[in-house]
Amino acid sequence: MRFRPCIDIHNGKVKQIVGGSLKDEENHAETNFTSERRAGYFAEMYQRDGLSGGHVILLNPPASEYYGETLKQAEEALAAYPGGLQAGGGIRADNAEKFLDMGASHVIVTSYVFQEGRIRWENLEKLKRAVGKERIVVDLSCRKKDGDYYIVTDRWQKFTEVKLNRELLCEIGGYCDEFLVHGVDVEGKAGGVDERLARILGGCGNKNVTYAGGIGNMDDLRRFQEITGGRVDFTIGSALDIFGGKLPYNMIKCYT
């Protein structure tokens, strides 16, 4: 189990948001923290501290008036730490290689794979052919509905018909190197781990998995390790002191 750092970029700024609040309309998000520092600063810090496998996420769609500045920030981060960070947000087969050329170790994909409420296997095949499965992270971020977890797309705004379970993890595992899973219902709230989701992820075998959502203190982290058996990596955003929270980054960065 290791810490995977994050750089979330929204409206051209490094931010931490409440995940379920993100809306494309008027570029809205309920914001926990907005940094005055640029994304490259955080990338350099993660490199200096020997933290690899983190992610840079572009939270604006290409149609947004802020997308250009958001992309510029992402480019700065990837250039500052080449090969040390993954990139996500609007990734498709026809632009994935561009992000790898910018310095990303992997591309993170959701909406391109899950369209019209279902899995588009042909798009997974296209992406696999374009960059190779060893450079792909499939984002299986999910929300609860009717007692199950469903994959959500388009910056977590749209439910699909696809349930997150161990069978799905096995099916998609042949197309990617890793999974990234945000528990959107608890993301950005630092109110505790989604324990049922963590148990599902802890039993998914030998695939690298990173969980995000709700870890707010050391007790939460210890509980997460207990539930997952230490088999799942984690990321923390809003709760860290570098993003306005109370949990010391210098304590968490030791999980490498």
Side-chain angles (χ1 to χ4, degrees):
M1 185 180 85
R2 63 189 178 111
F3 170 55
R4 304 285 197 104
C6 63
I7 304 173
D8 294 342
I9 308 169
H10 182 250
N11 294 356
K13 296 280 189 178
V14 175
K15 290 185 180 181
Q16 286 295 316
I17 68 169
V18 177
S21 73
L22 192 61
K23 292 180 173 60
D24 290 347
E25 185 179 355
E26 298 182 355
N27 300 290
H28 171 78
E30 184 179 332
T31 302
N32 288 327
F33 177 81
T34 301
S35 178
E36 293 304 313
R37 299 185 184 276
R38 295 190 64 81
Y41 167 86
F42 294 98
E44 290 172 355
M45 179 173 66
Y46 299 153
Q47 182 181 47
R48 183 177 66 247
D49 293 334
L51 298 171
S52 61
H55 52 272
V56 178
I57 304 295
L58 293 78
L59 293 174
N60 293 104
S64 168
E65 62 191 286
Y66 293 101
Y67 182 78
E69 183 55 32
T70 292
L71 178 61
K72 184 177 179 181
Q73 288 257 27
E75 288 177 312
E76 289 180 16
L78 297 173
Y81 190 5
L85 296 166
Q86 304 167 355
I91 301 296
R92 309 178 305 274
D94 61 0
N95 69 2
E97 191 170 359
K98 179 180 77 171
F99 284 90
L100 297 178
D101 290 342
M102 288 180 195
S105 65
H106 297 67
V107 289
I108 304 168
V109 62
T110 309
S111 299
Y112 180 69
V113 170
F114 299 93
Q115 293 182 3
E116 299 175 351
R118 60 186 180 86
I119 303 173
R120 297 290 296 270
W121 295 104
E122 68 274 22
N123 286 352
L124 266 173
E125 288 283 1
K126 289 177 184 177
L127 189 61
K128 184 178 176 181
R129 289 197 298 269
V131 299
K133 65 170 286 188
E134 69 279 0
R135 310 295 294 274
I136 298 171
V137 178
V138 176
D139 186 336
L140 298 175
S141 295
C142 57
R143 305 183 78 162
K144 291 179 186 174
K145 185 174 70 171
D146 301 328
D148 289 305
Y149 293 98
Y150 286 84
I151 308 301
V152 288
T153 65
D154 297 283
R155 293 154 299 283
W156 308 330
Q157 296 169 92
K158 296 180 181 178
F159 276 92
T160 71
E161 300 170 2
V162 183
K163 293 181 183 180
L164 175 63
N165 50 38
R166 292 178 186 175
E167 290 74 23
L168 177 69
L169 293 166
C170 291
E171 281 186 293
I172 295 183
Y175 292 88
C176 65
D177 190 44
E178 300 184 12
F179 295 119
L180 171 64
V181 183
H182 291 78
V184 178
D185 295 312
V186 298
E187 171 71 14
K189 298 179 180 179
V193 173
D194 186 325
E195 295 193 4
R196 183 180 163 207
L197 177 57
R199 286 192 179 92
I200 293 172
L201 301 179
C204 76
N206 59 1
K207 182 69 66 178
N208 289 329
V209 183
T210 300
Y211 167 86
I215 298 174
N217 53 52
M218 292 304 297
D219 287 339
D220 290 337
L221 187 55
R222 283 188 284 268
R223 179 63 177 156
F224 175 75
Q225 184 169 14
E226 176 185 342
I227 293 168
T228 62
R231 293 183 293 273
V232 180
D233 293 343
F234 66 96
T235 189
I236 303 175
S238 300
L240 290 179
D241 56 1
I242 60 173
F243 295 129
K246 296 180 180 179
L247 190 56
Y249 165 77
N250 285 334
M251 182 181 296
I252 299 301
K253 72 179 184 181
C254 299
Y255 285 83
T256 56

